[in-house]
Amino acid sequence: MLGFACIEIIGPWFTLTDAERHLSSSTAGLLIAGVPIVGVVTARFFGDTERLGARRVSGLVLGLAGVAVLTVPHLTGGDARSLAEVFLTVVGYATAPLIAARWLKDVPTLQLTAPCLALAALVYAPAAAVTRASETPSASVLTALAGLGVICTALAFVAFLELIKEVGPTRATVFTYVNPAVAVAAGAAFLDEPFTAGIAVAFTLILAGSVLATAAGPAVPAVPAGPAGPGGPGKGTRPVAWSTRQTSRADGRVE
């Protein structure tokens, strides 16, 4: 649990925030979109032997291409330090779901989320106290902070951890493709920002890639009944139905 909190929350909150002082949000968003691909590679070190298949690989590539179409026109800034910080963030975001799926799958979601966020708050409390504002922020600012804390952090982590349990860690990280698309859609809907043809193309690529990248693998073929076993003729082996839920909750093994 301590490792998950440090890799998923405490570390990335610093590295990504510091990196975005020198990188544009578009650049950071494009780099963060590499999380699913890094996750697929990292999963091999955690014993994941699931075959990706052409469909999921195509989905990962399409989704990344969509994010690129959306963000490349706005790429600015960056230096070796900021790029290294984003890289560390990507590795953390790719590794933490694997930790949760392997060692924390039996911990209830709320019991995992609450102590991790509380630890992060304690770690950052001294820095927040030293750099606190000289005046009390306005009501709108405090409301925005509350929304970010409750909806975009606490509830988002609960949903993310449930998603990891449901579909597995590598599929769950595909949400990083959708983030930039949702941000652009929200900007067009609520801030009157332009919705261009390029954005529409990016949306199509991201949605198509996300569907393909999260698709379930092929069903395991039925295994013919073997020789007579202890239970009688034809009961040596039996076919086992495959499902994403079973494999994600059993470290990649069919229960």
Side-chain angles (χ1 to χ4, degrees):
M1 189 180 294
L2 177 62
F4 177 83
C6 292
I7 294 173
E8 175 71 19
I9 303 173
I10 299 173
W13 280 4
F14 172 78
T15 54
L16 187 57
T17 302
D18 189 61
E20 289 202 48
R21 294 168 55 208
H22 309 283
L23 289 170
S24 67
S25 294
S26 295
T27 304
L30 178 58
L31 295 174
I32 291 295
V35 168
I37 296 174
V38 175
V40 167
V41 176
T42 308
R44 296 303 185 257
F45 295 96
F46 282 75
D48 182 10
T49 58
E50 180 184 356
R51 188 174 65 86
L52 290 179
R55 181 168 53 181
R56 285 190 63 194
V57 171
S58 299
L60 291 171
V61 173
L62 275 178
L64 187 60
V67 175
V69 170
L70 193 63
T71 59
V72 163
H74 310 287
L75 298 183
T76 58
D79 54 26
R81 173 180 170 177
S82 58
L83 293 175
E85 287 176 326
V86 175
F87 176 74
L88 289 175
T89 302
V90 168
V91 172
Y93 282 163
T95 305
L98 297 168
I99 293 175
R102 173 60 64 88
W103 291 290
L104 301 174
K105 60 181 180 294
D106 295 326
V107 179
T109 301
L110 285 177
Q111 280 81 340
L112 175 58
T113 302
C116 288
L117 292 179
L119 177 61
L122 287 175
V123 169
Y124 284 109
V130 171
T131 60
R132 69 184 184 278
S134 57
E135 298 180 358
T136 302
S138 64
S140 60
V141 172
L142 292 176
T143 301
L145 286 173
L148 288 172
V150 175
I151 299 174
C152 301
T153 304
L155 292 180
F157 266 114
V158 170
F160 182 48
L161 290 169
E162 286 297 317
L163 185 62
I164 291 172
K165 292 179 180 179
E166 185 68 25
V167 303
T170 54
R171 286 185 175 89
T173 57
V174 173
F175 83 90
T176 56
Y177 286 167
V178 183
N179 277 352
V182 173
V184 171
F190 301 109
L191 300 176
D192 295 324
E193 295 178 350
F195 191 87
T196 64
I199 292 175
V201 171
F203 244 102
T204 303
L205 290 173
I206 289 171
L207 291 178
S210 298
V211 170
L212 291 173
T214 56
V220 175
V223 180
K235 295 184 180 180
T237 48
R238 64 181 179 87
V240 180
W242 182 93
S243 77
T244 303
R245 186 181 183 91
Q246 285 175 315
T247 55
S248 65
R249 293 179 182 270
D251 300 331
R253 302 186 305 275
V254 177
E255 293 177 331

